[in-house]
Amino acid sequence: MTSRETTSLLPRSADGAVVDAPGRSLGDWAALLAIGAVQWPWLLRSLRGGSRRDKRALLDRLGLPYEALPNLGSWKADTGLLRLVADHILANKPRCIVEFGTGASTLIIARALEMVGGGNLLSFEQHPEFVEATRRWLAEHGLQAELRAVPLRPAPGGWAGLWYDHGPLPDRIDLLLIDGPPWTIHPFTRGAASTLFDRIAPGGTVMLDDGARPGERIVARRWRREWPDFDWKLVKSGTKGTLVGRRAT
């Protein structure tokens, strides 16, 4: 997840209590334990979050103060992902961006959109306090976005795990950034994002954070089979890699 504060590994109820994924089957537990046993190197690398030099270079490019990103690493977006997102926005000027997982990436997207003359950012997060903290964080830097706190529900599209109960979405999305829910719900839980791929505009882009992890690699194989009109590649910048898919024009 992407947040300045510590992000719990499981979804939480409205009062902040950690809750387990509802109806987790023995098969779900087996998948979680099997993937968790082999992906510890990625988890260890994620603690770093990128070098101070890279973070300062990104902030310089966006005209943000160095304290704007005080704490990267752990379950947060790393500098590699943030730079990739910023570069994409500055080069392609997307008008509609939808993000799942609110926090550091939200700040970077909002600033990059401001630099290219504007655009709409709709960001979803399951923890209401993170949404409020991020909204204040953006305001500190004169930025804004449409942030929504929504619950998680059983994943659609035949996917395991949980997905965001996001409600209506724009019909045309230029950039879809997927940085949640956490893998501890299920290693394939982010796969349900594919139920939105028909909304990606021709020439539009999907980005899946943590794309080098074992669970996300399995998700990517299914996406490649089911969505051949996207050109998929794994970008290995950063500590966890990003799967990038561009829809044919």
Side-chain angles (χ1 to χ4, degrees):
M1 300 298 294
T2 53
S3 170
R4 286 193 294 179
E5 285 75 30
T6 300
T7 303
S8 71
L9 306 186
L10 293 171
R12 288 187 284 178
S13 62
D15 62 4
V18 175
V19 296
D20 195 6
R24 200 195 298 261
S25 67
L26 290 177
D28 290 344
W29 277 112
L32 182 65
L33 294 173
I35 295 294
V38 298
Q39 77 172 15
W40 61 267
W42 286 268
L43 300 180
L44 289 178
R45 285 201 297 270
S46 73
L47 297 175
R48 185 166 175 262
S51 70
R52 179 177 298 180
R53 181 182 65 182
D54 289 344
K55 184 169 75 170
R56 289 193 170 191
L58 172 65
L59 294 170
D60 284 340
R61 186 178 187 196
L62 296 176
L64 290 169
Y66 292 152
E67 64 271 16
L69 292 177
N71 192 16
L72 294 178
S74 186
W75 304 103
K76 308 164 188 69
D78 67 22
T79 306
L81 172 67
L82 298 178
R83 184 176 63 248
L84 184 66
V85 170
D87 288 347
H88 179 86
I89 294 171
L90 295 177
N92 295 281
K93 301 179 176 59
R95 303 305 301 170
C96 178
I97 300 176
V98 175
E99 173 190 43
F100 291 100
T102 295
S105 53
T106 313
L107 178 77
I108 296 303
I109 293 170
R111 173 55 182 155
L113 283 176
E114 183 181 60
M115 292 177 67
V116 299
N120 297 316
L121 168 59
L122 177 57
S123 182
F124 294 93
E125 166 64 44
Q126 74 264 32
H127 300 314
E129 69 273 24
F130 289 176
V131 169
E132 290 306 313
T134 304
R135 187 175 287 119
R136 292 192 299 270
W137 190 14
L138 267 61
E140 291 172 7
H141 300 285
L143 302 169
Q144 59 181 359
E146 185 175 353
L147 312 182
R148 298 181 187 175
V150 298
L152 299 176
R153 61 183 175 89
W159 288 94
L162 303 175
W163 185 245
Y164 299 88
D165 191 11
H166 48 69
L169 291 173
D171 292 331
R172 180 186 175 100
I173 299 172
D174 298 308
L175 174 61
L176 178 64
L177 177 61
I178 307 147
D179 196 17
W183 74 274
T184 46
I185 291 173
H186 192 284
F188 311 149
T189 195
R190 296 182 184 182
S194 65
T195 59
L196 307 178
F197 288 178
D198 60 350
R199 296 177 181 268
I200 304 298
T205 301
V206 173
M207 293 188 184
L208 173 65
D209 190 24
D210 308 306
R213 293 191 310 201
E216 277 71 16
R217 287 179 182 267
I218 294 172
V219 166
R221 286 202 292 269
R222 178 170 164 183
W223 285 1
R224 287 187 171 98
R225 290 196 307 270
E226 296 180 353
W227 294 91
D229 59 332
F230 284 76
D231 178 25
W232 298 101
K233 64 179 180 179
L234 179 62
V235 179
K236 296 183 180 179
S237 62
T239 58
K240 297 172 288 183
T242 304
L243 179 70
V244 178
R246 185 177 183 273
R247 194 168 199 178
T249 55

